[in-house]
Amino acid sequence: MSEHRRKPPQQPQGGGRAAARRAAPQPSGRRAAPSRGAEPAASASVPHEEDARTYGGRAEARRAQRGGRRRAAETGPGRSAGAGRSRGPSKKRLIDYPRYDKYGWRRWMPSWKLTSGLVIGFVGSLMAAGTIAYAMVGVPNPSLASQAQNNVYYWDDNTPMVSTGGEVNRQVIGIDQIPKAMQNAVVSAENKTFWDDSGVDPMGIARAFVNMAKGGQTQGGSTITQQYVKNARLGDQSQTISRKMKELFISIKVGTDMEKPDILAGYLNTSYYGRGAYGIQAAARTYYGIDAKNLNPSQCAFLATLLKGATYFDPAGAPEIDPAATREANTAAAKDRWNWILGEMVKDKHLSAAERAKYPTFPMPDPPKKNAQLGGQTGYLVDLAKANFVNNNTQGITEKDLTHGGYEIHTTFNKKKVQELTKAVTKVYDENIDPKKRPKTDTHVEFGGASVDPETGKIVAIYGGQDATKHFTDNADQTGAQVGSTFKPFVLAAAMTDGVRDPKLGAEQGVDSRILVSPDKSRYSGKNKLKIKNYDGSIWHNEEGKEWLQTNDGNDSFGPISLREAMRESVNSPYVQLGMDIGIPQVRQSAVDAGLLKSSLSRSDVPSFSIGISDPSAIRMAGAYSTFAAHGEQRDPYSVTEVQHGGKVVYKHEDKAKRAYSTQVADNVTDVLRTVVDKGTGTNAQLKGRQVAGKTGTTDGNKSAWFVGYTPQLSTAISMYRLDDNADAKDRKFLEMYGTGNQAKIHGASFPSEIFHDYMEGALKGEEALTFPKPEPIGSAVFGGGASSPKPTPTETPSETPSETPSETTQAPPSSSQAPPPSSPSCDKFFGCADQGGANQGGDNGGNGGEGTPTTTPPGGDQGGTDQGGGQNTGNPDGGGQDDGGFFGGPGG
């Protein structure tokens, strides 16, 4: 063999075969055991140099093994290692993402360098976009925003009623003519950092964006600069993100380009102060009749108060816009904020404490003034239509928006009916009210009225007062005058809908067991000074522990009397006790169901609630009686059918009728109220050839009188009262009407029913005379207030001429001047026995009076008499007498 032939590798010295095996490369994974007898051979393919490469130990071997597994997992089955590595970047890139040298979730986590770069890039982009937007946006000319058109109001036949409401009362003045006190008052109240800020409030803008994103209430700019931009520079008053962005950039530019004094002057000259006044000069003249430069610090603080919202801070009130914005509430709110602003001015060192002490009392502004074309009833009609639109439109159009004009407002007002109502009131006033001749009794006399179409809810006519430019309170709207006995129909409706509570069945069955009431079959005591009880027969006591003895008008006393006849003669005691048996909450809900506002109803669950201690408006009373005329279907009264702006319809009334009472209940109430007009206290309201239903009402102390009535196609409410309306809001008070109009006492049966008659005759002239349907019988016989079921009597031969109305089928109550023979006590299965009680020497706990008939001497007069029914009551009208029998039996009063 040649000596150059490669020799086979030799065995390692000093180790033998075991050493050779250790030196050989180990496979990954578990080493296979050699077969028995097999001789391990050295690999001829491994160079000798590799024989010397040995692992440092088992730990190192395990690490190497794990690395191999990871590479295998990355490549996947059947893939080469090179193919697996090609999925990631082979080297670092400019933007290292996904990250080059990371595995698993770390591969997708951006580095701090990448994060920093993104933030810097984003901020830079925003700055670039803001710079471009700032350069592109222009500052609108403020004179463009001050242009305004008129609003046109139309009668129900679409003929123009008046063109008004769009004239902006504004006169721009320089900063040198605006008192320093006015400037300081606004800065202290609205934007304390005004003189130093950049014109925007980033936090305020952020809050507005968040609120808009959440769908919540939007917020305006919080700085004076932003408010100025919104008032004068942006014709678009919408609260959108795009408008907010526009406002932001314009505010920044205005803050850069304009001096602070000019911005403040612009804000004060463009802000709305209420009463149609834009700008501080117009506000000074509107509220105080002086120029702005002559305002003192106290007056300035009040005018700054109005910037918060004149609807809720003008002491004159704005109940036509929001019922909560009454004169009393607004005056209290204005005084609180006025006092706070003066305090802030002292705190900010804009006013010394000594100067503040010079103004201890609130600077009450002048009453509102209206222009001549809104005189007579026109101003009331415009205000009512404006309020209807502002309160019901879904586009957020405000009273302030209306001052910019351009709206066509189509109303429900009928020109003929408005004229007829004004004519009827004027006739009664001129013929009977003479303040010069009777200054103590005929001053401050006011009338109010409203007329509603029952089928639609349209307010066709109102009477708000003698002249809207002189008397500013709309008497057709809520005035605070209590409605008296005109509230009783809601009690009767509740008695037929909810029923009276039966304590015996309730105790036996453990439930609120009730019995529906029949207006003809039921009997309640008509006793004067009736001791009022709870439904379970216990004596009712007020918070002072005193009993309630309910009086009737003129102290007239009646025996057991049907609810129909009690309504006809306006007897108080039956309806007061009936209300207690039903439950005052149910009676209150009955009135609300008919259409009265819950806010206008007394919150007290006292017996007199049922005889009208609440003060709904004439509009709402006419609307509530419309529910009876419409057979139980209720519609809220409204005065605007449609509004257009720029040729587009921005509001259209939608009919939303709901069922308040069953047809059976409503028609029975109507039938009972027909009795009042046919033969009761409302005979003055009778209309020739027409069926009329209605109710008279007079309040305790004779401070208000009402008549509310209806035909099938028209419901009308007339009110009369004396109100010292020229006093401070908290000093306004209703005055007694004893002797007014040369009458001993004013009843709803007198002047109010006379006005109703004259108006309805003219308003319905030429219209078809419709009739009411005959009602279906309803309810069961219930006996309360000490009245008991009558004993059976021999059957008499029926009359040859039947009665025309159900009201004539009941026996008329005995006159209080004639004493019928006393009846023996008897028992009723629901209300127990009426037994003989002792003497009642109690006094009069008050409550609203009832109604006499429209004659010189009311029936019964002031004479004493006897009261039969569950007992006997004899004596003089002031001394009480014998009260035999209680509501559920037991000792009488």
Side-chain angles (χ1 to χ4, degrees), residues 555 557 816 862-867 872-882:
N555 287 318
S557 205
S816 59
D862 292 329
Q863 301 176 13
T866 58
D867 181 9
Q872 181 181 11
N873 175 17
T874 59
N876 62 60
D878 297 323
Q882 299 287 335

Side-chain angles (χ1 to χ4, degrees), residues 542-741:
N542 63 14
E543 63 276 5
E544 298 176 355
K546 296 181 180 179
E547 299 175 352
W548 188 278
L549 305 180
Q550 182 57 53
T551 60
N552 295 323
D553 186 45
N555 287 318
D556 296 333
S557 205
F558 297 83
I561 187 172
S562 74
L563 296 177
R564 178 187 294 275
E565 298 303 323
M567 186 78 76
R568 187 188 79 177
E569 301 300 328
S570 201
V571 186
N572 288 333
S573 50
Y575 277 92
V576 171
Q577 186 60 66
L578 176 63
M580 297 299 290
D581 297 347
I582 300 168
I584 300 302
Q586 284 75 19
V587 174
R588 183 181 290 108
Q589 187 59 48
S590 174
V592 172
D593 291 342
L596 299 188
L597 295 176
K598 191 173 184 178
S599 59
S600 69
L601 302 179
S602 171
R603 299 179 182 179
S604 300
D605 291 348
V606 295
S608 58
F609 180 86
S610 297
I611 50 174
I613 60 174
S614 300
D615 54 8
S617 67
I619 293 173
R620 284 287 171 175
M621 286 298 289
Y625 272 49
S626 288
T627 302
F628 299 130
H631 316 296
E633 201 170 58
Q634 189 269 333
R635 291 175 173 83
D636 284 338
Y638 70 100
S639 58
V640 175
T641 58
E642 182 179 282
V643 177
Q644 298 181 13
H645 187 264
K648 297 181 179 179
V649 175
V650 296
Y651 171 77
K652 192 174 185 67
H653 173 78
E654 296 181 6
D655 183 39
K656 296 179 181 179
K658 60 183 179 182
R659 174 61 59 180
Y661 306 113
S662 68
T663 300
Q664 188 181 21
V665 168
D667 290 349
N668 270 278
V669 171
T670 294
D671 192 62
V672 171
L673 294 182
R674 282 189 60 199
T675 307
V676 175
V677 177
D678 291 344
K679 296 182 179 296
T681 59
T683 54
N684 273 352
Q686 292 175 358
L687 302 177
K688 187 176 181 180
R690 294 184 184 274
Q691 293 183 356
V692 181
K695 184 70 187 76
T696 54
T698 302
T699 59
D700 185 43
N702 202 207
K703 294 180 180 179
S704 61
W706 290 72
F707 185 85
V708 187
Y710 54 95
T711 65
Q713 64 265 64
L714 196 59
S715 176
T716 301
I718 303 295
S719 65
M720 176 182 177
Y721 52 89
R722 291 180 65 212
L723 176 62
D724 186 0
D725 202 27
N726 297 320
D728 185 82
K730 68 178 182 179
D731 296 328
R732 296 168 71 236
K733 58 182 180 180
F734 287 88
L735 308 175
E736 294 179 344
M737 291 191 293
Y738 297 111
T740 298

Side-chain angles (χ1 to χ4, degrees), residues 217-413:
Q217 285 190 331
T218 56
Q219 295 177 343
S222 58
T223 68
I224 286 177
T225 303
Q226 288 174 264
Q227 302 260 19
Y228 165 60
V229 168
K230 183 175 65 174
N231 291 343
R233 305 283 181 157
L234 289 175
D236 176 18
Q237 295 295 313
S238 62
Q239 296 287 344
T240 62
I241 292 180
S242 61
R243 199 202 68 82
K244 281 291 179 186
M245 292 298 296
K246 188 175 182 181
E247 176 189 310
L248 173 65
F249 288 116
I250 294 177
S251 298
I252 294 173
K253 181 166 282 192
V254 167
T256 302
D257 297 345
M258 292 181 65
E259 298 293 331
K260 288 287 187 179
D262 295 333
I263 295 175
L264 184 57
Y267 172 62
L268 292 174
N269 278 319
T270 58
S271 294
Y272 184 60
Y273 295 80
R275 301 190 189 180
Y278 279 83
I280 185 61
Q281 177 74 337
R285 290 177 173 174
T286 297
Y287 286 92
Y288 292 110
I290 59 176
D291 290 332
K293 63 182 180 181
N294 296 323
L295 292 168
N296 62 43
S298 179
Q299 294 168 329
C300 290
F302 165 70
L303 294 180
T305 293
L306 295 173
L307 297 176
K308 191 74 172 176
T311 298
Y312 300 99
F313 290 93
D314 182 355
E320 69 279 359
I321 301 298
D322 187 341
T326 61
R327 289 178 60 174
E328 294 80 2
N330 281 21
T331 300
K335 286 181 177 179
D336 287 344
R337 187 162 176 82
W338 160 81
N339 187 59
W340 175 80
I341 290 177
L342 287 176
E344 291 298 300
M345 293 173 69
V346 173
K347 186 187 301 183
D348 297 338
K349 298 185 184 244
H350 293 152
L351 188 69
S352 68
E355 183 72 9
R356 167 65 182 90
K358 293 180 181 179
Y359 307 104
T361 59
F362 179 72
M364 183 63 69
D366 299 336
K369 305 177 184 65
K370 294 186 179 180
N371 60 48
Q373 64 176 330
L374 295 178
Q377 299 304 304
T378 305
Y380 303 123
L381 297 173
V382 166
D383 285 346
L384 184 59
K386 183 192 303 181
N388 188 170
F389 172 51
V390 169
N391 290 332
N392 292 284
N393 79 83
T394 59
Q395 300 191 21
I397 300 172
T398 66
E399 181 188 16
K400 181 179 177 181
D401 296 328
L402 284 178
T403 63
H404 291 289
Y407 292 88
E408 295 182 6
I409 302 172
H410 296 264
T411 77
T412 61
F413 305 129

